[in-house]
Amino acid sequence: MTGAPVRVCIIGNSHIAALKLAIRHGFFRDDRLDVVFWGVTGTTGNGFRSIRYENGRLVTTETAFVRMVSEGKYETINPDDFNALIFHGSTVRYTKLLDSLRRTGGDVRQYSRAFLRDGIAGWLGTSHAATLIHRIRSSYTGRILVSPMPLMSEDSKRFDGRTVEAGELTLLNDILSEFYAAGGAEFLPQPNETIVQNKYTSTDFSIGSVPLGGDVRHRKAEYYHMNARYGEAVLRKVSERLQS
Amino acid sequence: MGSPYETLPSKSFWRTAVAEKRPRQIEQLWDPKFDFLPIHKISTMGSCFAQHFSSALLARNYRWFDAESAPHVFAPETARKYNYGVFSARTGNIYTTKALKQWIFWALGLDSPPDEIWVKDGRCYDPFRPAIEPGGFATAQEMFDSRLACLAAIRRMLKQADRFVFTLGLTEGWINRAGGFNYAVCPGTAAGEFDPDLHVFHNFGFAEILTDLTAAIDAIRAESPHIRFLLTVSPVPLVATASDKHVLTATSYSKSVLRAVAGEHADAREDVDYFPSYEIITAPAFKGRFYEANLRSVRPAGVNFVMKTFFSSLHQKFGASQPHGGKKSGRLKQADRPVPGTRDEMEENGVVCEEQMLEAFAR
């Protein structure tokens, strides 16, 4: 794309902090993108669930918080003010999905594609994020990208004892892409370089994560949120996708 | 010395035990050899009727063992649609003891399943569980991967289960002449193509059925010596017979042979018991009250009575069991509620009885 920067709104929960930090600390810089952050953490009121789509705008009861996150600019969001909306972190709980599929130990590919498709559609279809996306899509003509909650840090040892093959993630990502494509959105898998053993986010991308509301670092044993390097990796993928 | 009949209890005499009793007062039908505790992992396999056991166990908070459970984040309706949670492994109905032996031997590596696939409208079906995947599998590889997962689940089941309940369903089956294996249903019914040169009808006899059942149970016991077995015979008549006989007489033969095998095997082994669900449903004393209008499907009241008899017999023999999780034992009250897994619910939930497909051929 040439000309004016692509106006992008990154919407989500606490996980968008990694992306915001990437920009704030200079890990990510791309003049082709004009990025706004807008989100509510789980510790704030009803968290992401407080976000609703009403009268053509994204609104929330946590106006002070979203104003802070958006650097004082937005209490509500009109999707039409942006070329693209990126839902990050509040969409697919990837670790939960993988854990559930691997609970009996077998490869994800033991399940038929049809079963995975129906099961994932049933699981995600009623999620708050999917409902929001569906409602926005009915009137919004820009692009909607969906970026999942990252896999837990390898320090969590959540999947220890279970070997996960690359093909399993490929299958899941294919199905997730199909699901979101059917709803007019695009699935953006977690960047490959951030994943180790096909089941964790590398500690290179998880240690030193910071909450959305401030600069105090998470405790060392915080395995869910990622750092600015992770944010840079995701933003780079967002930029590449939006250029395509 | 007087007659040995003089000292027999009243249950030994038809007049006092049956003729002079109201049907629901008929008691002492089962003297269990061993207990079923709520902490036991109880696995179930067999014909359609076996599904009632799993439903009833779950309704009473017993630990029905699902060794091939659907991912817990998926909706129960989705799991049910794809036949998860019906039997302890996703085998579909197992109608014959030969089929049981096949599954057990394949799972334990004592034999290898054939690589035959059935194809219909571009989709692939497993000849040994043709209804397991609605609409068939997308590819042969997908089908084989799924079956491997099932075999792994059977191994898991055999290692961990404390009790194994098997319901014998049929004596009639279809065999592959070259490979000698038993199909779940006749090729050409659910999928596949019938080939009269390759596919042969066989009505298994007493000796064959007993041999296959013994082989299956011995293989399981070699793997897991602690398992106790409970055999039942399905009271559901045949949908159809390929024996050239009237379906009523064919049913009588089939159920008689299966009943005889189950009884013979249970009498011979300490770790095998027989539960008379067949008699409860079919005996003249109950006057056919437990059958639907089609004289074949078992009414919910029949299933309820069968399971009530099961649990009350255990209670009488071994005393009240504490429910799993330490809840109070209100079990018998729960037994009065309609049991899930009855015919209407099976149809509503899309549980497919492969044998039922034969009805489509009736004129």
Side-chain angles (χ1 to χ4, degrees), chain A residues 96-97 99-101 103-106 109-116 118-120 122-123, chain B residues 67-75 78-79 81-82 84 123 133 137 142 145-146 149 156:
Chain A
K96 183 173 184 178
L97 175 63
D99 188 29
S100 181
L101 291 169
R103 186 148 291 192
T104 54
R109 293 165 292 192
Q110 70 180 298
Y111 302 106
S112 72
R113 195 179 182 103
F115 176 61
L116 288 172
D118 280 3
I120 287 172
W123 179 51
Chain B
E68 193 173 0
S69 55
H72 73 283
V73 296
F74 288 4
T78 304
K81 175 184 173 186
Y82 285 84
Y84 287 89
R123 304 287 292 184
E133 183 79 9
F137 294 94
E142 192 176 76
D145 287 344
S146 172
R156 215 161 30 245

Side-chain angles (χ1 to χ4, degrees), chain B residues 35-38 62 311-324 327-332:
Chain B
D35 201 359
F36 280 70
L37 298 174
Y62 274 70
F311 290 107
S312 62
S313 300
L314 291 171
H315 177 91
Q316 282 168 8
K317 181 74 176 280
F318 300 107
S321 298
Q322 283 303 309
H324 178 55
K327 293 180 195 166
K328 283 196 171 178
S329 178
R331 299 288 153 237
L332 295 179

Side-chain angles (χ1 to χ4, degrees), chain A residues 1 18 20 29 42 63-64 68 79 106 117 174 226:
Chain A
M1 288 182 143
K20 190 161 190 259
R29 182 188 169 90
T63 51
M68 180 269 295
R117 195 184 303 126
D174 278 352
M226 304 306 153

Side-chain angles (χ1 to χ4, degrees), chain A residues 89-95 97 123-124 146-150 176 180 187:
Chain A
S90 51
T91 54
V92 184
R93 296 177 64 179
Y94 212 102
T95 291
L97 175 63
W123 179 51
L124 289 179
V146 173
S147 172
M149 187 182 297
L176 288 164
Y180 283 109
F187 181 68

